[in-house]
Amino acid sequence: MQKRKRASIGKADFVSLAALDEVQYRLDLVNRTFKKPLLAGWQGGLWAEQLASFDQTEDAETLDVSSKTHDLIVHGMSLHWSNDIVGQLIQCRNAMLPDGLFIGVMFGGESLQELRKVLAEAELQFYGGLSPRVAMMAEVRDAGQLLQRAGFALPVVDKIELKASYENIFHLIRDLRHMGETSALHLRKRSFERKGFFELANELYKQHFSQDDGRIIATFEVMFLTGWTPHESQQKPLRPGSAKARLAEALSTIEVPLKD
């Protein structure tokens, strides 16, 4: 909450705006009119402004939602903050009508990979050890399993990757503060850094991840978790061995049996 109170999303809204464009693109593809949509999450009011027709609820550990009420839920850029992502997903599924659409948006594991590496290298050189600094985030290959564990049908996970350039590491950290995305890890280091630590990290950043003009690069990976609440009208996977045609015949090729 302290991070969010100090945030100023309007000064660093490029990630959320790109994510909102992707959400709208996905909704356009569905080609369905949703009568009871819900927005869950927090992004300094930006998402609430863009999705003003949605009902809204904060991304508390226990969501303030009623059972089987909504036909669409968009969880906007908050799942990576949750202590229990599966719990959040299950609560969303329980709040949805059958054949309802869920779209969860969150930072993925490649986000801030450059910052993570240079802070680790700087800390090893400066202190001779490591401490938690950048929160771990889910990988794309894991996110689909989270949807399945929560009971969603037809799970799909995809991502976009944004590259931002900064004059130095201090400008990057300033943007993270504006986003409300600086570290809130319980085990993070609480004391002030010794003089020169971030100067060293900045030099390492420029050595490893800079452009020709000397500006540093930061990666923001945004994942989109899409799933449907189960309904009898949805497609079902066929039983293994029930195919009526051989793939080899369709491809006009020779089928080679695998060895035992």
Side-chain angles (χ1 to χ4, degrees):
M1 295 304 297
Q2 291 175 345
K3 305 294 183 182
R4 293 180 175 186
K5 287 178 181 178
R6 292 197 295 262
S8 182
I9 300 297
K11 296 180 180 179
D13 58 5
F14 62 96
V15 176
S16 283
L17 289 175
L20 280 161
D21 285 344
E22 291 290 330
V23 168
Q24 190 58 57
Y25 172 71
R26 285 158 173 75
L27 293 177
D28 291 342
L29 288 178
V30 173
N31 193 27
R32 179 190 295 187
T33 300
F34 295 99
K35 298 180 180 180
K36 194 65 173 175
L38 172 72
L39 170 65
W42 174 92
Q43 270 294 313
L46 177 62
W47 284 68
E49 294 171 5
Q50 295 290 321
L51 302 176
S53 62
F54 286 45
D55 294 338
Q56 298 170 17
T57 187
E58 294 184 359
D59 59 324
E61 291 298 316
T62 301
L63 297 177
D64 184 16
V65 291
S66 300
S67 177
K68 297 183 178 180
T69 302
H70 302 281
D71 53 2
L72 167 66
I73 291 183
V74 174
H75 206 302
M77 293 297 290
S78 294
L79 282 171
H80 56 278
W81 277 97
S82 176
N83 290 318
D84 181 10
I85 294 180
V86 175
Q88 284 280 300
L89 296 176
I90 290 175
Q91 292 180 70
C92 289
R93 188 208 64 200
N94 291 339
M96 298 175 67
L97 295 165
D99 203 30
L101 174 62
F102 172 81
I103 302 177
V105 188
M106 62 186 292
F107 281 117
E110 294 299 313
S111 296
L112 302 178
Q113 55 176 305
E114 302 90 354
L115 180 63
R116 191 191 310 272
K117 293 173 182 176
V118 299
L119 287 179
E121 185 175 347
E123 196 164 25
L124 284 171
Q125 292 187 27
F126 217 76
Y127 297 111
L130 294 174
S131 62
R133 290 185 178 271
V134 181
M136 299 298 294
M137 301 175 211
E139 302 289 342
V140 170
R141 61 180 178 271
D142 302 322
Q145 297 176 3
L146 298 178
L147 286 169
Q148 289 179 320
R149 287 177 58 190
F152 283 103
L154 309 175
V156 175
V157 179
D158 61 329
K159 67 176 184 176
I160 60 173
E161 189 173 276
L162 306 175
K163 297 284 187 180
S165 69
Y166 294 92
E167 183 177 338
N168 53 50
I169 195 173
F170 305 102
H171 288 193
L172 167 58
I173 294 173
R174 181 189 62 188
D175 258 14
L176 294 177
R177 289 199 183 103
H178 289 328
M179 295 178 189
E181 296 289 352
T182 50
S183 177
L185 290 170
H186 179 67
L187 296 177
R188 71 188 186 278
K189 191 175 181 180
R190 305 299 180 110
S191 59
F192 288 106
E193 296 295 349
R194 286 166 49 189
K195 183 178 180 181
F197 173 76
F198 279 105
E199 283 80 2
L200 173 60
N202 186 52
E203 289 303 315
L204 292 171
Y205 210 133
K206 290 186 175 182
Q207 289 177 23
H208 299 316
F209 305 107
S210 65
Q211 299 175 309
D212 293 339
D213 59 3
R215 294 176 64 85
I216 63 174
I217 296 297
T219 299
F220 295 91
E221 181 185 63
V222 184
M223 297 196 308
F224 300 86
L225 288 65
T226 304
W228 295 82
T229 46
H231 189 265
E232 60 183 10
S233 66
Q234 294 169 353
Q235 297 174 343
K236 303 291 191 303
L238 295 175
R239 180 175 56 83
S242 62
K244 297 181 180 180
R246 304 184 72 83
L247 180 60
E249 295 175 0
L251 298 176
S252 300
T253 187
I254 299 175
E255 182 176 356
V256 179
L258 293 175
K259 296 180 181 180
D260 293 337

